[in-house]
Amino acid sequence: MLWPMRRTTYCGKVSEENIGQRVVLEGWVNRRRDLGGLIFIDLRDREGILQVVINPGSVPFAEADRVRSEWVVRVEGTVRARPAEQANSRIATGKVEVVAEALQTLSEARTLPFQIDAGWRGEDDQNVSEDVRLRQRVVDLRRKRLHQNLRLRHKFITAIYRFLDSEGFISVETPFLTRSTPEGARDFLVPSRLEPGSFYALPQSPQLFKQMLMVAGYDRYFQIARCFRDEDLRADRQPDFTQLDLEMSFVTQEDVLDLNERLAAYVVKETLGLEIPLPFPRLTYAQAMNRFGSDKPDLRFGLEFTDVTEVFKGGEFRAFASAQAVKALLVPANLPRKEIDALEAVAKSKGAAGLAWVKRENGALTGGIAKFIPPSLHQHLEIAEGQTALFVAGPWRRSVESLGAVRLELGKRLNLIESGYNFAWVIDFPLLDWDEDNQRWTYMHHPFTSPNLDDLEHLQSDPGRVRAYAYDLVLNGSEAGGGSIRIHRRDLQERMFAQLGIGAEEAQEKFGFLLEALSYGAPPHGGIAWGLDRWVANLAGEESIREVIAFPKNKEGKETLTGAPSTVDSDQLAMLGIAVKE
Ligand code: ASP
């Protein structure tokens, strides 16, 4: 035998064009079937599967008889057409097969903890719990779906590089071991061995480094950046995640939005071949909240709110009479009581006191709060026969957000969500947010975001009404990106710190390096970061970002494949001057 022959092509790439050619293939045995002496092996590699036929009495027959699923083998043979009636339209190579002349086992395999072959045959993969999948991630990663997702991710990232390079951006790396970079989350800390008692922080984002790069003259920076945030676990978060981070100098908000729209359209076209119309619609924060109850509204369906605060003001219905806001949602369906109860539970989970409702049945308003509805409601809200109106009243933010959650639930329940990629900008965010728990103003985006200069005069007197030059890119109701124009003047940055309750001394101690940089001549600048994992999940049609990350953490923040986090040797701790309390 003339081994070692080298691989001539990928299994999944063999087609009718190769009929009559000799090929050498290397890959995994996706499935082996023994049909009365004739052996079929579906050989798999990253490109797909290909049927290999081993005739009885042929040289490779004895070895083919021995191999099992997931063994790694090398096959030499000749490509031929399958008889038409045996063609398999579910796989790309379904019109051909390879008749083996030699077969060599490169490595044997134990039985897998779960089967991964079906997806490659165009069938549904075995249903396996995510726990098992993540613990056995190497096996799981063999599945076709994950191969596709990771390749989509690669396509997405290379498209970003192409586009931004053509627009004059340069990629610069920033450190992992650094000082705390506040983005509103807890830091992951790394103890210093050389300076016991001191800690590095892993960056929550490259924010301050990219700003300092702007001060240093590196206009148009980008980075596919890993970020680390020790946040409380939410369903779709990872403690370490990836951003497309970018920053530009001498720009206005318009410039940043324009560049990002074109980039978004480009990457969608490059990855999925879809045309995205430009420009993206824009909503102010106030509009988004008032109409859809979310600062990342899902605009794939309607169901906009109507403000009926004035209608009920001072009226008979006590719960609504003095509420800061009363918002109504007209539902084009006669919702049964059970559905309304379920929706009320959604509203309450977001802090609403309740979900009031009326319906029009047989011409009359019935049920719920029907007897409290003032006639003037109809000027604002036309409830037609068979429709249901839902109401939430209370403090403005809580009311709109809880009705917003009801709206999303209705979108799903009533099947209103259109497929496709729906982009929008939300702009004019407030600069500051009132922190109920600590009874103080805090930043909405981060402390380096520029106030809208038109509102600056209110910064002390009425902080809540100051808008920021901050913007979010929304895709199908999820936040695909967020950024801002930054403060580039030291005096304004100092004022901002003061407004946030960060005294001069603390500002100097924590952000002295930034303030100093700003005092050496800083250009106006601004940028954005995209949540890359969520972006790819959206493009891949996946619900969870864990499906587009090779080695994700589970919902508890653990990486069960290698077993992280784990305890470490006492020697290691001693070296760091650390003792763990029981
Ligand atoms: N650093 C910000 C973030 O991670 C993004 C930005 O303002 O550019 O959300």
Side-chain angles (χ1 to χ4, degrees), residues 422-437:
N422 187 302
F423 288 95
W425 288 108
V426 175
I427 59 171
D428 288 344
F429 276 84
L431 180 69
L432 300 165
D433 196 17
W434 181 248
D435 176 355
E436 270 304 330
D437 294 341

Side-chain angles (χ1 to χ4, degrees), residues 442-458:
T442 175
Y443 47 84
M444 189 107 173
H445 187 51
H446 52 53
F448 320 107
T449 293
S450 175
N452 184 318
L453 299 181
D454 295 337
D455 297 349
L456 197 53
E457 55 187 299
H458 308 294

Side-chain angles (χ1 to χ4, degrees), residues 183 205 207 210 229 243 245-247 445-446 482-484 486 527-529:
E183 295 280 352
S205 88
Q207 184 62 34
K210 68 175 172 175
R229 299 185 188 177
Q243 286 186 344
D245 192 46
L246 67 84
E247 197 76 4
H445 187 51
H446 52 53
S484 61
R486 327 297 183 187
I528 197 167

Side-chain angles (χ1 to χ4, degrees), residues 331-500:
V331 186
N334 186 338
L335 295 177
R337 192 55 203 267
K338 235 177 63 206
E339 294 259 319
I340 296 176
D341 289 346
L343 294 169
E344 177 160 42
V346 171
K348 284 184 165 169
S349 76
K350 297 284 172 192
L355 183 69
W357 58 277
V358 295
K359 299 182 195 179
R360 188 176 295 282
E361 284 171 323
N362 305 321
L365 288 184
T366 62
I369 61 164
K371 63 172 184 281
F372 295 115
I373 298 286
S376 63
L377 180 74
H378 310 302
Q379 289 155 25
H380 305 267
L381 197 68
E382 200 56 64
I383 309 171
E385 183 64 27
Q387 293 189 333
T388 311
L390 305 172
F391 304 85
V392 171
W396 173 77
R397 178 124 165 221
R398 204 181 301 161
S399 305
V400 293
E401 285 183 348
S402 47
L403 198 57
V406 170
R407 173 180 177 269
L408 285 183
E409 184 63 28
L410 277 166
K412 280 183 228 151
R413 282 175 184 245
L414 301 177
N415 249 324
L416 301 174
I417 302 174
E418 279 170 28
S419 63
Y421 293 88
N422 187 302
F423 288 95
W425 288 108
V426 175
I427 59 171
D428 288 344
F429 276 84
L431 180 69
L432 300 165
D433 196 17
W434 181 248
D435 176 355
E436 270 304 330
D437 294 341
N438 297 304
Q439 291 290 304
R440 63 178 167 96
W441 290 102
T442 175
Y443 47 84
M444 189 107 173
H445 187 51
H446 52 53
F448 320 107
T449 293
S450 175
N452 184 318
L453 299 181
D454 295 337
D455 297 349
L456 197 53
E457 55 187 299
H458 308 294
L459 189 57
Q460 269 83 25
S461 55
D462 189 2
R465 82 179 257 196
V466 179
R467 290 166 300 167
Y469 290 129
Y471 31 79
D472 273 1
L473 178 60
V474 179
L475 167 54
N476 293 349
S478 71
E479 185 190 326
S484 61
I485 298 299
R486 327 297 183 187
I487 296 170
H488 74 280
R489 281 191 2 231
R490 179 176 175 141
D491 58 337
L492 185 54
Q493 186 64 68
E494 283 171 333
R495 247 176 98 186
M496 184 67 186
F497 285 146
Q499 189 65 36
L500 294 168

Side-chain angles (χ1 to χ4, degrees), residues 174-470:
T174 54
F176 275 5
L177 295 177
T178 178
R179 214 195 148 95
S180 173
T181 47
E183 295 280 352
R186 221 171 283 117
D187 287 322
F188 280 103
L189 298 175
V190 180
S192 158
R193 177 180 56 85
L194 297 175
E195 215 180 292
S198 292
F199 296 83
Y200 300 97
L202 301 180
Q204 293 184 27
S205 88
Q207 184 62 34
L208 293 179
F209 289 102
K210 68 175 172 175
Q211 290 193 233
M212 290 189 289
L213 283 169
M214 293 305 107
V215 180
Y218 293 84
D219 182 7
R220 300 199 160 216
Y221 137 97
F222 81 106
Q223 182 177 191
I224 303 295
R226 303 304 298 279
C227 304
F228 306 86
R229 299 185 188 177
D230 190 2
E231 288 182 301
D232 289 336
L233 297 156
R234 279 194 249 164
D236 210 19
R237 291 272 168 110
Q238 290 279 304
D240 49 347
F241 61 97
T242 307
Q243 286 186 344
L244 159 63
D245 192 46
L246 67 84
E247 197 76 4
M248 308 158 79
S249 289
F250 304 106
V251 286
T252 62
Q253 175 167 306
E254 281 310 314
D255 298 317
V256 181
L257 300 193
D258 169 69
L259 177 107
N260 275 275
E261 289 187 352
R262 289 184 296 112
L263 172 59
Y266 180 79
V267 292
V268 173
K269 172 91 194 186
E270 291 290 295
T271 50
L272 301 180
L274 296 175
E275 298 285 347
I276 301 292
L278 295 183
F280 297 160
R282 294 182 189 188
L283 295 170
T284 65
Y285 170 82
Q287 288 168 336
M289 295 291 276
N290 278 316
R291 289 165 54 188
F292 304 101
S294 170
D295 61 3
K296 41 179 189 295
D298 192 336
L299 303 176
R300 289 173 299 175
F301 64 102
L303 290 188
E304 285 192 35
F305 304 168
T306 307
D307 187 292
V308 291
T309 315
E310 292 304 319
V311 176
F312 289 94
K313 187 152 261 161
E316 239 182 285
F317 190 40
R318 290 263 226 67
F320 285 13
S322 59
Q324 188 186 22
V326 186
K327 296 280 173 183
L329 182 56
L330 187 62
V331 186
N334 186 338
L335 295 177
R337 192 55 203 267
K338 235 177 63 206
E339 294 259 319
I340 296 176
D341 289 346
L343 294 169
E344 177 160 42
V346 171
K348 284 184 165 169
S349 76
K350 297 284 172 192
L355 183 69
W357 58 277
V358 295
K359 299 182 195 179
R360 188 176 295 282
E361 284 171 323
N362 305 321
L365 288 184
T366 62
I369 61 164
K371 63 172 184 281
F372 295 115
I373 298 286
S376 63
L377 180 74
H378 310 302
Q379 289 155 25
H380 305 267
L381 197 68
E382 200 56 64
I383 309 171
E385 183 64 27
Q387 293 189 333
T388 311
L390 305 172
F391 304 85
V392 171
W396 173 77
R397 178 124 165 221
R398 204 181 301 161
S399 305
V400 293
E401 285 183 348
S402 47
L403 198 57
V406 170
R407 173 180 177 269
L408 285 183
E409 184 63 28
L410 277 166
K412 280 183 228 151
R413 282 175 184 245
L414 301 177
N415 249 324
L416 301 174
I417 302 174
E418 279 170 28
S419 63
Y421 293 88
N422 187 302
F423 288 95
W425 288 108
V426 175
I427 59 171
D428 288 344
F429 276 84
L431 180 69
L432 300 165
D433 196 17
W434 181 248
D435 176 355
E436 270 304 330
D437 294 341
N438 297 304
Q439 291 290 304
R440 63 178 167 96
W441 290 102
T442 175
Y443 47 84
M444 189 107 173
H445 187 51
H446 52 53
F448 320 107
T449 293
S450 175
N452 184 318
L453 299 181
D454 295 337
D455 297 349
L456 197 53
E457 55 187 299
H458 308 294
L459 189 57
Q460 269 83 25
S461 55
D462 189 2
R465 82 179 257 196
V466 179
R467 290 166 300 167
Y469 290 129

